[in-house]
Amino acid sequence: MRSIIYIKYGELTLKGKNKIAFINCLFDNVKRVLVEFKTIKFIKQFDALIINGITSKNNEKIINLLQKIPGIGLIIPAYECSHKFKKLSDQIIQSLIKKDIKQTTFKVNTKRTNKQYPLNSMEISAKIGRDILHKFKKYSVDVHHPRLMITIEIKYKDAIFYFEKIKGMGGFPLGINGKVLVLISGGIDSPVASYLLLKKGMHVDFLTFISPPHTDERALDKVRTLKKILTLNNKLYKSKLYIANFTKLQHEISHIHDSSYQITIMRRYFFRIAKQLAQAEGYIAIATGESIGQVASQTIQSMQTIQSASGDFLVLRPLLAMDKSEIIDVAKKIGTYDTSILPFADACSLFVPANPVTKPTIHKAISLEKELDLADRIAENIFKKHLVVE
């Protein structure tokens, strides 16, 4: 008997003819993330990925990393052993002894890949159940709501059994669904939006805007830290962070006569610059952490007016219908929340007017932009000369 980790695929199981490509992509991602573990080996199967060479020392760390890889449905700490019935029963009982569960209800559930096995699934479950009851006098069977589920899978050459299933990230393998450029601010929302796009198999790179000396360098450090969290410190994949110096354009925008439109005009230029970068670098979409009605610039009218600056280029908003409390819950789950709430303001939050417009119109936004003689030239220079890539 040996310890293994048994990985069940996520949504890629639905992909039919594309499934092999999806499995290969996930396999490469898992190997890259776990490269530091020299003793482990991988067995790639059509319905699962098996990792062996697991030790008690590295088991917990490996599981923790696997939970952060898109495309994994279930992570199952399991045991691989002989499928000969007596040996199988003995190994399950020995494993239960090690778990040291004195009293519980249980159920045995058996699946057979090997239909030539001399016992059918129900017979295996019944016989193993009887052996367990004989050994553990304080155990009882509960087929409806057992506290302990014992799952057995009978293969052609061996068997696998396990007692728990750990939920994975789900979704699709990273990189299978193209590249997207996320406008990331360092707040709570955009990292969560990035996570959801990663979960759907998209390669995510980041664009952030700084306005020195108004924005603190520590605000940019927040973004760098969030990027590391989302990419497992670049183990999952090597992402890019584009840093755009927005100071000169910010000063130009501050001169428009209707100050309530400042955040609207600012974000319209964010979208123009993002679109230029996305088209130049082969991104299929840009994305934001916007949620309907959360702030003045995220009303439906605001989003329509702001997005119009990027023409018909695709804009993704994964958080569109989520409540703030739901977004915060995800941020805490994925480990970005504590970094996001550090008190270092970004370009957006620093320059919000006292009374921002909530129902801006495209017509008026264009009219106000005509007051900005230098804005388009400054924006072009940001893209061509003042864009740093990390």
Side-chain angles (χ1 to χ4, degrees), residues 200-212:
K200 281 301 182 181
M202 303 201 78
H203 176 115
V204 175
D205 287 330
F206 307 93
L207 170 62
T208 194
F209 293 90
I210 60 172
S211 297

Side-chain angles (χ1 to χ4, degrees), residues 101 115 156 161 178 216 254 290 355 388:
I101 301 172
K115 301 300 183 183
Y156 284 95
F161 67 89
D216 195 307
S254 68
E290 293 168 297
N355 296 295
V388 176

Side-chain angles (χ1 to χ4, degrees), residues 51-220:
I51 305 175
N52 56 41
I54 305 297
T55 66
S56 56
K57 184 177 179 181
N58 63 27
N59 184 67
E60 186 175 346
K61 188 175 181 182
I62 289 173
I63 290 173
N64 183 260
L65 287 170
L66 290 172
Q67 285 180 287
K68 298 173 182 177
I69 300 176
I72 293 178
L74 291 171
I75 304 152
I76 304 172
Y79 299 95
E80 193 174 57
C81 66
S82 169
H83 63 14
K84 292 181 179 178
F85 183 83
K86 181 65 169 63
K87 288 186 178 180
L88 173 60
S89 180
D90 288 346
Q91 296 287 12
I92 291 172
I93 288 171
Q94 288 303 312
S95 297
L96 288 171
I97 290 170
K98 287 181 181 179
K99 287 179 74 67
D100 196 28
I101 301 172
K102 303 298 184 185
Q103 182 174 348
T104 192
T105 58
F106 75 97
K107 176 183 178 181
V108 181
N109 182 43
T110 303
K111 306 171 185 177
R112 290 185 310 155
T113 304
N114 180 5
K115 301 300 183 183
Q116 304 305 314
Y117 196 76
L119 301 172
N120 66 35
S121 296
M122 291 186 66
E123 289 170 335
I124 296 167
S125 295
K127 287 177 175 289
I128 295 287
R130 282 197 293 269
D131 289 349
I132 291 170
L133 289 170
H134 180 75
K135 180 66 179 180
F136 300 95
K137 304 302 181 184
K138 293 186 177 181
Y139 281 28
S140 60
V141 173
D142 184 341
V143 296
H144 299 295
H145 304 288
R147 289 199 290 269
L148 176 65
M149 175 67 79
I150 302 166
T151 304
I152 304 167
E153 297 187 20
I154 303 294
K155 308 289 186 178
Y156 284 95
K157 294 182 179 179
D158 51 31
I160 292 173
F161 67 89
Y162 47 88
F163 308 115
E164 64 174 324
K165 300 176 182 179
I166 300 167
K167 191 172 181 180
M169 187 171 172
F172 299 119
L174 188 141
I176 208 75
N177 283 327
K179 292 169 54 179
V180 62
L181 182 66
V182 173
L183 279 66
I184 188 168
S185 65
I188 295 170
D189 302 333
S190 49
V192 174
S194 302
Y195 166 82
L196 294 177
L197 292 167
L198 288 169
K199 181 177 177 178
K200 281 301 182 181
M202 303 201 78
H203 176 115
V204 175
D205 287 330
F206 307 93
L207 170 62
T208 194
F209 293 90
I210 60 172
S211 297
H214 310 295
T215 51
D216 195 307
E217 177 69 19
R218 289 173 294 182
L220 180 56

Side-chain angles (χ1 to χ4, degrees), residues 355-370:
N355 296 295
V357 62
T358 58
K359 295 182 179 180
T361 66
I362 298 171
H363 175 76
K364 185 166 182 179
I366 293 172
S367 175
L368 289 169
E369 286 170 352
K370 290 178 181 178

Side-chain angles (χ1 to χ4, degrees), residues 232-276:
L232 306 184
N233 202 15
N234 281 334
K235 289 179 182 176
L236 186 56
Y237 71 108
K238 290 185 178 179
S239 67
K240 293 179 180 177
L241 171 62
Y242 298 92
I243 304 166
N245 189 323
F246 202 71
T247 305
K248 288 184 179 180
L249 190 49
Q250 193 78 61
H251 290 166
E252 181 74 4
I253 293 170
S254 68
H255 295 145
I256 60 173
H257 79 268
D258 187 345
S259 62
S260 70
Y261 266 76
Q262 283 183 8
I263 195 75
T264 301
I265 303 300
M266 182 183 74
R267 290 188 64 80
R268 279 170 62 86
Y269 276 101
F270 283 178
F271 272 54
R272 287 187 178 104
I273 293 165
K275 176 188 175 182
Q276 282 185 291

